[in-house]
């Protein structure tokens, strides 16, 4: 058998992360994805890592993750020939993905109605910042604004009520939202299998952000009263807290079955004497004296380097984990053993696998992303253009 989506033709007519990420997942399972981008500089996302504050590398890591496996068609849709080329591709495609603003789609002739008229089997995947309707439907949005800030997440995850709102990691909302759009595309393909007709599927950053913050958002919808998040040192429960080890690295505990794990946890710290200490003997006591217990555990954790304490906690079945830094990820053996980190073809560089697997279904080994317009001639020939027509388009500046 071939790959699951082998033969599926996908047009990635988006920019930056969330919408193109859906196309990346489809490509992992064998779909033929053509990336539409402007000639010259290409998708602006190609240049994001050059901005101040981003991790520095000789490799364009953001583009490698977002555009692996894809082919690049550099086309100027501001020119009639360029618009016609994209419309022809859409007429032959199975899936068209875009996050362009609605007004831009209409101007370029790539809105749902325009493309559905050319191809009634087309799955049109539309992504936006704030949804398709309402006063803010045309408002530009990135994950930091629509997904992170507007959803309540930015305020919710502060270290304490006195701390300033927290900044997100780059692309944090985009990648999860891209998976939502991918799921919608697969649903639409299933519907097409039953009806023979395509459809439009849509999602937005703000909808995904609210879903991610659903626990608290639903509480608010139910009129719940919220308690300010306390600082780590005065948390409500010492056994669901995080602690700094002697080497400056952090561990986080999630001990819920306290009656069973409290004695084992104390043995890990060589403090079996505290098991029967009347201050902490019962769960109610530990909760009542949580501030005192946190201060005590801070001192105990400071006696061990993280690898030693990690080994001890693991051996006694304590529920915990390391608070990893990005630099920890490349050597994380669990990620390697489960093919969460996988190598590019003909390269020692690894990338992050899409987070889903089907038993007995292979994925494509990731290929490095294309340069701007690397496959322009190839893609246009497949769409029915001959060499003369392609040369004419290039002379007119419609393709790169």
């Amino acid at each position: 058998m071939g790959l699951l989506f082998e033969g599926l033709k996908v047009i990635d007519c988006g920019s930056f992360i969330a919408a193109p990420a859906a196309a990346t997942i489809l490509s992992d399972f064998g779909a033929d994805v053509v990336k539409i981008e402007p000639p010259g500089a290409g998708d602006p996302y190609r240049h994001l890592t050059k901005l101040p504050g981003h991790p520095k590398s000789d490799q364009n890591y953001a583009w490698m993750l977002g555009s692996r496996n894809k082919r690049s068609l550099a086309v100027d849709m501001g020119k009639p020939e360029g618009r016609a080329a994209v419309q022809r591709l859409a007429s032959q495609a199975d899936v068209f993905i875009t996050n362009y603003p609605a007004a831009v789609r209409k101007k370029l002739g790539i809105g749902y109605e325009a493309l559905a008229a050319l191809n009634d089997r087309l799955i049109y995947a539309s992504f936006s910042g704030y949804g398709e309707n309402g006063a803010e439907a045309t408002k530009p949005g990135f994950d930091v604004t629509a997904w992170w800030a507007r959803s309540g997440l930015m305020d919710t995850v502060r270290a304490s009520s006195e701390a300033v709102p927290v900044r997100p990691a780059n692309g944090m909302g985009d990648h999860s939202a891209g998976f939502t759009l991918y799921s919608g595309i697969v649903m639409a393909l299933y519907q097409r299998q039953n009806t023979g007709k395509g459809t439009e599927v849509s999602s937005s950053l703000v909808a995904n952000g609210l879903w991610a913050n659903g626990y608290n958002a639903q509480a608010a919808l139910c009129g719940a009263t919220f308690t300010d998040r306390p600082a780590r040192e005065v948390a409500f429960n010492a056994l669901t807290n995080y602690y700094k080890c002697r080497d400056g690295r952090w561990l986080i505990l999630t001990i819920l079955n306290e009656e069973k794990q409290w004695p084992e946890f104390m043995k890990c710290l060589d403090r079996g004497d505290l098991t029967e200490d009347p201050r902490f003997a019962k769960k109610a006591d530990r909760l009542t004296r949580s501030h005192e217990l946190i201060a005590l555990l801070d001192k105990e954790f400071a006696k061990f380097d993280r690898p030693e304490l990690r080994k001890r906690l693991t051996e006694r079945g304590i529920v915990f984990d390391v608070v990893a830094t990005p630099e920890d990820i490349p050597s994380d053996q669990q990620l390697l053993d489960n093919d969460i980190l996988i190598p590019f073809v003909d390269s020692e560089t690894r990338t992050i696998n899409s987070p889903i697997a089907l038993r007995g279904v292979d994925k494509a080994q990731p290929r490095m992303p294309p340069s701007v317009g690397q496959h322009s001639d190839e893609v246009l020939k497949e769409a029915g253009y001959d060499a003369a027509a392609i040369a004419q388009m290039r002379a007119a500046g419609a393709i790169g």
Side-chain angles (χ1 to χ4, degrees):
M1 291 182 61
L3 298 173
L4 183 64
F5 291 137
E6 188 172 338
L8 193 75
K9 295 183 178 181
V10 179
I11 307 300
D12 172 2
C13 190
S15 62
F16 283 91
I17 309 176
T24 303
I25 301 166
L26 290 166
S27 80
D28 288 339
F29 287 96
D32 175 15
V33 178
V34 174
K35 173 73 179 178
I36 305 295
E37 50 186 332
D43 186 337
Y45 187 50
R46 287 180 176 270
H47 312 287
L48 188 67
T49 59
K50 299 176 183 177
L51 296 178
H54 290 258
K56 299 301 179 185
S57 173
D58 293 333
Q59 301 185 79
N60 192 343
Y61 50 84
W63 191 248
M64 289 164 66
L65 176 61
S67 289
R68 64 177 181 233
N69 306 328
K70 300 177 184 179
R71 298 191 290 167
S72 172
L73 168 61
V75 56
D76 183 354
M77 287 189 286
K79 296 183 181 298
E81 301 92 338
R83 290 196 295 276
V86 173
Q87 289 171 344
R88 181 185 292 195
L89 288 171
S91 72
Q92 303 169 1
D94 295 290
V95 181
F96 186 92
I97 300 172
T98 187
N99 59 357
Y100 284 14
V104 175
R105 299 182 202 184
K106 183 177 181 180
K107 178 181 178 182
L108 298 178
I110 57 169
Y112 170 67
E113 291 78 10
L115 297 187
L118 301 174
N119 179 0
D120 66 358
R121 287 178 55 81
L122 183 68
I123 307 302
Y124 187 97
S126 172
F127 197 82
S128 63
Y130 295 93
E132 309 284 337
N133 304 304
E136 295 178 82
T138 60
K139 180 180 176 179
F142 287 91
D143 70 338
V144 68
T145 54
W147 187 90
W148 184 248
R150 187 63 170 271
S151 68
L153 281 165
M154 189 175 194
D155 180 79
T156 300
V157 302
R158 288 189 286 176
S160 71
S161 58
E162 292 79 27
V164 300
V166 178
R167 293 181 297 174
N170 298 320
M172 196 162 104
D174 284 317
H175 287 108
S176 59
F179 206 93
T180 299
L181 189 62
Y182 162 80
S183 301
I185 292 168
V186 173
M187 290 173 64
L189 288 170
Y190 179 76
Q191 177 178 288
R192 188 181 75 173
Q193 180 178 306
N194 293 329
T195 66
K197 299 292 185 181
T199 190
E200 181 180 13
V201 57
S202 62
S203 190
S204 68
L205 285 169
V206 72
N208 280 274
L210 205 63
W211 183 251
N213 196 28
Y215 187 97
N216 288 300
Q218 187 63 53
L221 290 170
C222 293
T225 300
F226 286 78
T227 302
D228 285 341
R229 172 173 287 196
R232 187 199 72 84
E233 293 78 10
V234 291
F236 300 121
N237 189 340
L239 301 188
T240 56
N241 206 355
Y242 48 105
Y243 295 92
K244 190 175 184 180
C245 301
R246 182 170 57 193
D247 54 6
R249 312 303 296 277
W250 291 82
L251 289 168
I252 186 166
L253 303 173
T254 309
I255 301 176
L256 301 181
N257 187 0
E258 292 189 26
E259 298 310 316
K260 178 181 178 181
Q261 293 200 320
W262 168 251
E264 296 301 312
F265 177 46
M266 288 298 96
K267 292 175 184 176
C268 293
L269 299 176
D270 295 333
R271 289 303 307 268
D273 58 296
L274 291 175
T275 301
E276 302 301 329
D277 189 310
R279 295 175 299 167
F280 312 119
K282 297 181 180 180
K283 181 174 182 177
D285 299 323
R286 292 189 288 273
L287 291 175
T288 300
R289 296 181 170 86
S290 63
H291 304 172
E292 184 180 351
L293 182 54
I294 290 169
L296 187 153
L297 292 178
D298 277 338
K299 294 178 181 178
E300 297 303 323
F301 271 75
K303 297 175 182 177
F304 299 89
D305 289 339
R306 190 169 74 176
E308 171 62 20
L309 202 48
R310 183 180 186 180
K311 179 175 181 292
R312 291 183 176 216
L313 293 169
T314 299
E315 288 174 346
R316 292 194 176 274
I318 304 302
V319 182
F320 81 101
D321 216 324
V322 300
V323 180
T325 65
E327 291 88 348
D328 292 326
I329 291 170
S331 60
D332 191 319
Q333 192 60 45
Q334 188 68 12
L335 303 182
L336 295 167
D337 290 344
N338 286 277
D339 291 331
I340 297 170
L341 304 179
I342 53 175
F344 282 100
V345 173
D346 300 325
S347 175
E348 294 182 359
T349 302
R350 296 181 182 273
T351 189
I352 301 149
N353 206 347
S354 47
I356 189 170
L358 279 71
R359 181 181 293 273
V361 175
D362 293 330
K363 289 184 179 179
Q365 187 176 359
R367 303 186 308 275
M368 286 290 184
S371 57
V372 179
Q374 180 178 337
H375 305 96
S376 293
D377 289 25
E378 177 182 302
V379 169
L380 292 173
K381 286 178 182 177
E382 292 173 359
Y385 288 89
D386 60 23
I390 294 171
Q392 185 177 1
M393 291 174 68
R394 183 165 280 114
I399 61 171

